[in-house]
Amino acid sequence: MAAKSFDLIVIGAGPGGYVAAIRAAQLGMAVAVVEREHLGGICLNWGCIPTKALLRSAEVFHLMHRAKEFGLKADGIDFDLDAVVKRSRKVAKQLTSGVGGLMKKNKITVVMGAAKLIGKGKVSVKTEAGTDELTAKNVILATGARARELPGLEADGKQVWTYKHALQPPHMPKKLLVIGSGAIGIEFASFYNTLGADTTVVEVMDRVLPVEDADISAFANKAFEKQGMKIMQKAMVKQLDRGKDKVTAHIEVGGKIEKHDFDTVISAVGIVGNVEDLGLEELGVKIDRTHVVTDAYCRTGVDGLYAIGDIAGAPWLAHKASHEGVMVAELIAGKHPHPVKPESIAGCTYCHPQVASVGYSEAKAKELGYEIKVGKFPFIGNGKAIALGEESGMIKTIFDAKTGELLGAHMIGAEVTELIQGYVVGRQLETTEEDLMNTVFPHPTLSEMMHESVLDAYGRVIHM
Ligand SMILES: Cc1cc2nc3c(=O)[nH]c(=O)nc-3n(C[C@H](O)[C@H](O)[C@H](O)COP(=O)(O)OP(=O)(O)OC[C@H]3O[C@@H](n4cnc5c(N)ncnc54)[C@H](O)[C@@H]3O)c2cc1C
């Protein structure tokens, strides 16, 4: 490595770090990225992308089973788990090598090694060859997060898995317990259940996908149970007894302990920020539990030190990390970017049926004191949904009754993870019910339901 002094050092090359580095390079900065494992971070290697590749295999498998409905013949339908996983790993590799190409194209120095702050603007990097010291006026921490492990429920990679094991499974689960029904837990439950695992999901809160609007959770619950999943709500896994061929889970539900046997357990009980061994305490960086405390501009309180993405707290989403990365690069370059608004960041879960939302739930909007108007539209009322054979789903919209502001949108059903962006753009442009009602939606599309849901909120729904 020739230069050791940079305008910006980014620690971590996930979707937060590598995107921040590219934007900073575009703005004329000399940038170094330090990465201890692999370019692309969790998202490209062990998160967003490989899970979506697995779920696509499950979706095709599910559709193959429905061939007859579409007038098609498919006999001897089966799957090869090794091949499914191989495809997922190949997709991840293709994207991570793409990040390498982007680093080169933008003349960003990539240093492979573990970084630690040894003073303001000073970073030491442990590489395979030894220790390097880099300096810069500005440093962005983008070290991400890892799976949370609860005492007694720790992963062993054989019977008890984290998401990393579930992405490269040593065997196909026959009887699977998924602990936690957030996005990660539900996506794996959906994948393995579709492939035929007898799947039970245990959720400590009173409903699945507990961050979603209550109507969406209820709809999802019914859909999952129809697919054969067992859902235990207000239930807590207290203990796992690991035997030779089975794991016995002690599950507290309704004040009693029930014992159930499984061959595989996936623990998806949240994530913890990678805040250790970074020299943060010495610099006086504030940490709340496992996340770096920042202001709305991702500033840590230490001059020239920023934290973005998963290490800076919720929502733990790749697009939030990337957007913060761009915002901080622009701030450092002396521009005047807007802070990221968490309530304008969509959350998507790629289970079957898909779930997507942005803004406030009905309960949250009420809690904040809004007088609201609510619209709902079912997939069964939409021509394209019926033509696709995807009649199950709904779209719910919530408006401020006084101003017409779109406060929240909540969807469940086919392709809603693509549809949600329409409402995200609407919220960004501070759209009102009138703009949305006056917008012409193409026919036949699933997006027409977005229109109908808005019309329903104002008593003008057409196809219902
Ligand atoms: C199974 C799963 C599925 C997911 N699906 C989605 C999804 O569909 N959509 C979505 O938006 N989000 C999804 N996420 C979340 C998403 O992956 C994260 O929000 C995103 O990766 C956060 O980006 P980041 O840049 O903050 O951190 P990361 O992607 O975690 O990257 C941090 C990088 O920093 C490196 N690093 C850490 N410490 C050091 C150090 N000391 N020195 C050098 N390098 C270091 C790490 O090796 C890592 O490469 C998923 C997560 C999981 C686990």
Side-chain angles (χ1 to χ4, degrees):
M1 183 180 46
K4 298 211 172 180
S5 172
F6 299 88
D7 297 317
L8 171 67
I9 298 168
V10 183
I11 305 180
Y18 85 76
V19 170
I22 292 174
R23 184 67 190 122
Q26 285 173 348
L27 290 164
M29 288 180 233
V31 186
V33 173
V34 187
E35 170 56 52
R36 70 177 175 193
E37 210 177 337
H38 29 214
L39 299 178
I42 291 296
C43 174
L44 269 55
N45 294 283
W46 302 108
C48 326
I49 298 297
T51 49
K52 267 71 272 177
L54 292 184
L55 285 157
R56 174 72 170 153
S57 291
E59 186 183 9
V60 175
F61 187 61
H62 166 75
L63 284 173
M64 284 163 76
H65 279 286
R66 292 179 56 195
K68 213 172 156 198
E69 264 180 62
F70 296 90
L72 307 172
K73 283 186 186 164
D75 297 324
I77 302 161
D78 205 352
F79 65 89
D80 170 351
L81 187 62
D82 286 345
V84 168
V85 171
K86 214 169 154 195
R87 174 175 179 274
S88 159
R89 299 319 306 159
K90 195 175 150 210
V91 170
K93 195 155 183 255
Q94 182 178 340
L95 282 157
T96 52
S97 32
V99 173
L102 290 172
M103 295 296 101
K104 266 196 201 132
K105 183 186 155 205
N106 288 283
K107 302 188 173 49
I108 293 163
T109 303
V110 175
V111 184
M112 292 308 290
K116 182 176 179 161
L117 286 155
I118 48 170
K120 270 190 201 172
K122 272 195 193 157
V123 175
S124 90
V125 186
K126 249 193 209 154
T127 65
E128 270 182 8
T131 304
D132 256 327
E133 211 177 294
L134 315 180
T135 57
K137 257 188 253 138
N138 296 286
V139 176
I140 299 178
L141 296 166
T143 55
R146 60 185 184 276
R148 173 191 284 161
E149 302 223 45
L150 296 179
L153 313 186
E154 292 94 347
D156 52 42
K158 291 185 184 107
Q159 293 170 306
V160 184
W161 301 348
T162 64
Y163 58 80
K164 274 201 183 176
H165 308 114
L167 278 162
Q168 282 193 308
H171 59 262
M172 172 66 200
K174 286 194 185 73
K175 204 152 183 281
L176 171 68
L177 167 65
V178 177
I179 311 175
S181 78
I184 294 175
I186 280 296
E187 286 189 0
F188 282 116
S190 192
F191 171 70
Y192 284 111
N193 188 65
T194 304
L195 293 192
D198 175 357
T199 306
T200 300
V201 177
V202 170
E203 170 56 54
V204 74
M205 306 294 279
D206 61 355
R207 55 198 173 88
V208 284
L209 294 167
V211 301
E212 299 296 341
D213 185 276
D215 281 344
I216 301 296
S217 291
F219 199 109
N221 197 96
K222 262 196 207 151
F224 297 151
E225 285 184 343
K226 211 169 148 198
Q227 293 164 22
M229 250 188 240
K230 291 169 209 73
I231 312 267
M232 297 173 76
Q233 296 162 350
K234 287 197 203 166
M236 189 186 272
V237 178
K238 302 294 266 188
Q239 189 181 322
L240 294 176
D241 295 339
R242 299 163 207 230
K244 192 166 169 284
D245 302 313
K246 65 174 185 184
V247 180
T248 304
H250 299 231
I251 306 171
E252 189 181 279
V253 55
K256 288 190 189 131
I257 297 284
E258 291 183 10
K259 288 188 194 176
H260 296 274
D261 292 340
F262 301 92
D263 62 66
T264 311
V265 178
I266 297 176
S267 174
V269 292
I271 58 160
V272 291
N274 294 324
V275 289
E276 304 85 356
D277 303 325
L278 286 170
L280 299 183
E281 298 78 8
E282 292 83 342
L283 278 175
V285 175
K286 265 197 213 137
I287 295 170
D288 178 16
R289 277 156 290 176
T290 66
H291 293 98
V292 171
V293 178
T294 58
D295 67 6
Y297 289 95
C298 298
R299 294 179 288 219
T300 62
V302 174
D303 232 15
L305 184 64
Y306 304 81
I308 62 169
D310 280 5
I311 193 189
W316 298 282
L317 293 166
H319 40 292
K320 177 251 190 190
S322 299
H323 204 80
E324 285 181 341
V326 168
M327 193 250 317
V328 170
E330 295 191 348
L331 195 67
I332 293 170
K335 296 189 172 290
H336 303 283
H338 295 291
V340 179
K341 286 191 244 156
E343 66 278 8
S344 288
I345 297 171
C348 297
T349 307
Y350 300 75
C351 48
H352 176 66
Q354 295 182 0
V355 171
S357 61
V358 64
Y360 302 133
S361 66
E362 184 173 346
K364 185 74 189 171
K366 283 181 181 158
E367 187 192 312
L368 292 172
Y370 286 101
E371 196 188 310
I372 56 171
K373 280 192 181 288
V374 177
K376 290 181 193 173
F377 194 83
F379 272 49
I380 191 74
N382 175 265
K384 179 75 180 288
I386 295 170
L388 290 178
E390 298 288 353
E391 299 94 337
S392 178
M394 69 173 275
I395 296 185
K396 174 172 176 179
T397 44
I398 299 159
F399 290 89
D400 181 344
K402 285 197 187 121
T403 64
E405 183 191 350
L406 175 64
L407 296 174
H410 307 275
M411 305 171 154
I412 182 161
E415 304 305 338
V416 297
T417 55
E418 295 292 335
L419 294 180
I420 193 71
Q421 188 60 10
Y423 287 135
V424 176
V425 172
R427 273 180 63 83
Q428 179 67 19
L429 299 177
E430 297 179 356
T431 190
T432 63
E433 88 290 7
E434 203 166 321
D435 298 322
L436 287 167
M437 286 197 272
N438 287 333
T439 302
V440 182
F441 287 74
H443 175 78
T445 60
L446 299 174
S447 74
E448 288 171 284
M449 291 184 283
M450 298 168 67
H451 196 209
E452 293 273 27
S453 177
V454 176
L455 293 173
D456 184 54
Y458 287 85
R460 289 178 44 180
V461 68
I462 304 286
H463 294 96
M464 205 168 64

